[in-house]
Amino acid sequence: MAKNLAKNAGNDAIRELGWWRAHRFLILRRACQFAIMGLFMMGPTWGILTGNLSSSMLFNTIPLSDPLLVLQTLATGHWPEVNALIGVAIVIVFYALLAPRAFCAWVCPLNVVTDAAGWLRRKLNLKASFKWSPKIRYWLIPVILLGSAVSGSLLWAWVDPVASLHRGLVFGMGAGWILILLVFLLDLVLVEHGWCGHLCPLGATYGVIGRKSLIRIKATQREACTKCMDCYHVCPEPEVLRQPLKEGDRRVMSQDCISCGRCIDVCPEKVLEFSTSLARVKDD
């Protein structure tokens, strides 16, 4: 099969598998993201999920804390409250066991913005203006921690677009829309998958946390791959698909994978699926 154009990614899957099958993980992710945001919005009334993505309480009992925020707090020389330490431990254990960067695809509200920019870029056939190293996000973590230590403040909290979007949706955006618009434009015209794939230090933090997690995408039917490139076109981290689709271990073991499942959605040959990392699948 000839390589498909980026703007047509997923069309073959729709024809072969049906609209639902070609969008199921996208729809499930949006449902999860909007449900979590709705619970935050209704927090004062329902009491199921209160606070924000940086620090929250589930059922007014279980604390949940942002790992990067807790690291910044420690860098400033302040010891977090016990609830914050318990909350970050719960979050780390959960995402360490679940799937690589599952927070990014299934919880983070900014993912909706970056996905929209990626979709529009493909449809308009826009080419990225710049190439950045995906390692920038990992270097940003020590830079942020050093800056917090020197300034004595939670440096990233002032410019974090994820937290800004969440606060804006719950309490009103104000000038926060400018920051979100800049992220959208970055992904649309400057750098392909610029935010999630190159800059976001929170995503990098969850990548490190989930590098040994259980649920993985696996090329179980690798021999059926026609190299149509649809999975590459829709994947926010396309480099993670190269090894499992070629030779050796069929699992996507890279910590950069965001476990979104879009590569599964758009593949009409059903080459990929969610599996576990417990058993290594070798070539016949």
Side-chain angles (χ1 to χ4, degrees):
M1 180 184 290
K3 294 180 180 180
N4 290 334
L5 297 175
K7 66 179 181 180
N8 296 326
N11 287 352
D12 289 343
I14 294 173
R15 285 192 294 268
E16 295 293 327
L17 307 176
W19 191 89
W20 160 253
R21 184 71 181 265
H23 294 87
R24 55 180 171 158
F25 287 114
L26 175 61
I27 295 170
L28 291 172
R29 286 194 297 117
R30 292 293 176 261
C32 185
Q33 290 163 332
F34 292 147
I36 290 172
M37 187 55 60
L39 289 175
F40 273 119
M41 290 180 174
M42 297 303 296
T45 303
W46 293 351
I48 298 175
L49 191 59
T50 56
N52 52 56
L53 287 176
S54 299
S55 178
S56 57
M57 291 290 290
L58 182 62
F59 301 119
N60 290 319
T61 304
I62 304 172
L64 302 170
S65 304
D66 175 355
L68 184 57
L69 187 69
V70 172
L71 285 175
Q72 290 179 80
T73 303
L74 291 170
T76 63
H78 296 90
W79 192 253
E81 295 182 357
V82 173
N83 264 359
L85 293 175
I86 295 174
V88 77
I90 292 172
V91 168
I92 289 174
V93 170
F94 179 76
Y95 285 106
L97 292 174
L98 185 60
R101 293 181 62 189
F103 172 89
C104 301
W106 295 81
V107 178
C108 179
L110 197 60
N111 173 257
V112 179
V113 176
T114 56
D115 272 3
W119 176 85
L120 186 59
R121 187 188 63 252
R122 291 193 299 274
K123 294 303 179 183
L124 297 177
N125 196 30
L126 298 177
K127 302 300 180 183
S129 301
F130 301 97
K131 290 284 188 180
W132 290 351
S133 170
K135 296 186 182 300
I136 294 175
R137 52 190 162 185
Y138 294 104
W139 286 107
L140 273 177
I141 297 175
V143 169
I144 290 169
L145 297 181
L146 180 60
S148 295
V150 171
S151 66
S153 63
L154 303 178
L155 191 64
W156 185 246
W158 294 98
V159 293
D160 180 8
V162 177
S164 294
L165 179 57
H166 181 269
R167 287 194 301 266
L169 291 173
V170 176
F171 304 110
M173 285 301 298
W177 280 116
I178 297 175
L179 185 58
I180 307 308
L181 178 61
L182 289 176
V183 170
F184 179 82
L185 293 175
L186 167 70
D187 275 33
L188 180 63
V189 298
L190 294 181
V191 182
E192 189 172 1
H193 310 301
W195 179 253
C196 293
H198 297 80
L199 289 181
C200 182
L202 182 58
T205 303
Y206 278 107
V208 174
I209 290 171
R211 61 192 302 267
K212 299 294 184 181
S213 50
L214 297 177
I215 299 175
R216 299 282 169 167
I217 288 173
K218 182 172 65 177
T220 52
Q221 303 294 331
R222 181 165 61 196
E223 294 77 13
C225 178
T226 61
K227 297 180 174 58
C228 69
M229 299 298 289
D230 279 7
C231 58
Y232 282 84
H233 291 322
V234 301
C235 180
E237 304 274 357
E239 290 300 317
V240 308
L241 293 171
R242 293 189 182 277
Q243 179 271 318
L245 287 176
K246 289 185 176 180
E247 59 183 17
D249 195 341
R250 297 177 186 236
R251 299 168 301 168
V252 176
M253 295 305 293
S254 171
Q255 66 188 39
D256 292 336
C257 175
I258 71 170
S259 306
C260 66
R262 278 300 284 154
C263 58
I264 301 174
D265 281 343
V266 301
C267 181
E269 287 77 26
K270 306 180 194 176
V271 171
L272 301 152
E273 68 176 8
F274 276 115
S275 185
T276 71
S277 61
L278 297 177
R280 186 176 186 268
V281 178
K282 299 181 179 179
D283 290 328
D284 295 331

